[in-house]
Amino acid sequence: MGLERALERKPTGERPRFDPDGNRLVGSRCPDCAATAWPARAVCHRCGGPDVQEVPFARTATLLTVTEVHVPRPGLEVPYMLGQAALDDGGPLLFGRVRGLSEPVSLPCPVDLVVGETDEGRPTYWFEPAG
């Protein structure tokens, strides 16, 4: 099956996840079945193919679900919004924080993916209304 090629890839923690300069997430796409993943995988999770390619994903997405959360979390003031979005280039479905959304919102709706940093300086991402 050729899975020994997967052993030659960087370990998960060393693969890039963010492209802050391009404001994109970096993941993987399988050339055999077109499955996408974020973070990137060494082997395709759908077909088991060993030739996954590292790709930057779209900066735009379609917000499919959203919910307002009232449970406090370290570093997040309540209430905050979480949602699931489909990247516009066929990338993976992502679950993440949604900022700047006004009530009420009609779903699905276009959003932009933003890559930034946490207060501790770690890279992160969130979604904002498109435009």
Side-chain angles (χ1 to χ4, degrees):
M1 191 170 188
L3 293 180
E4 57 276 347
R5 283 181 286 189
L7 297 174
E8 298 169 4
R9 292 203 169 78
K10 293 179 185 175
T12 301
E14 294 177 18
R15 290 185 208 129
R17 294 178 183 213
F18 300 94
D19 173 11
D21 296 332
N23 197 43
R24 294 174 179 241
L25 297 179
V26 178
S28 60
R29 184 180 311 272
C30 177
D32 298 325
C33 72
T36 57
W38 187 83
R41 304 228 180 176
V43 175
C44 177
H45 64 280
R46 183 184 296 156
C47 72
D51 295 321
V52 294
Q53 300 167 343
E54 188 177 287
V55 295
F57 292 123
R59 296 180 192 119
T60 58
T62 301
L63 187 64
L64 304 173
T65 65
V66 66
T67 189
E68 188 173 79
V69 181
H70 294 269
V71 178
R73 297 283 303 154
L76 293 176
E77 292 183 30
V78 293
Y80 56 93
M81 308 281 283
L82 295 176
Q84 186 178 39
L87 295 177
D88 288 342
D89 61 357
L93 288 175
L94 295 172
F95 186 75
R97 189 148 177 224
V98 181
R99 295 182 176 177
L101 207 57
S102 61
E103 295 292 334
V105 62
S106 179
L107 297 175
C109 71
V111 289
D112 293 326
L113 183 132
V114 179
V115 173
E117 292 185 351
T118 64
D119 292 339
E120 295 82 27
R122 293 187 312 262
T124 188
Y125 71 93
W126 60 88
F127 300 104
E128 294 180 352

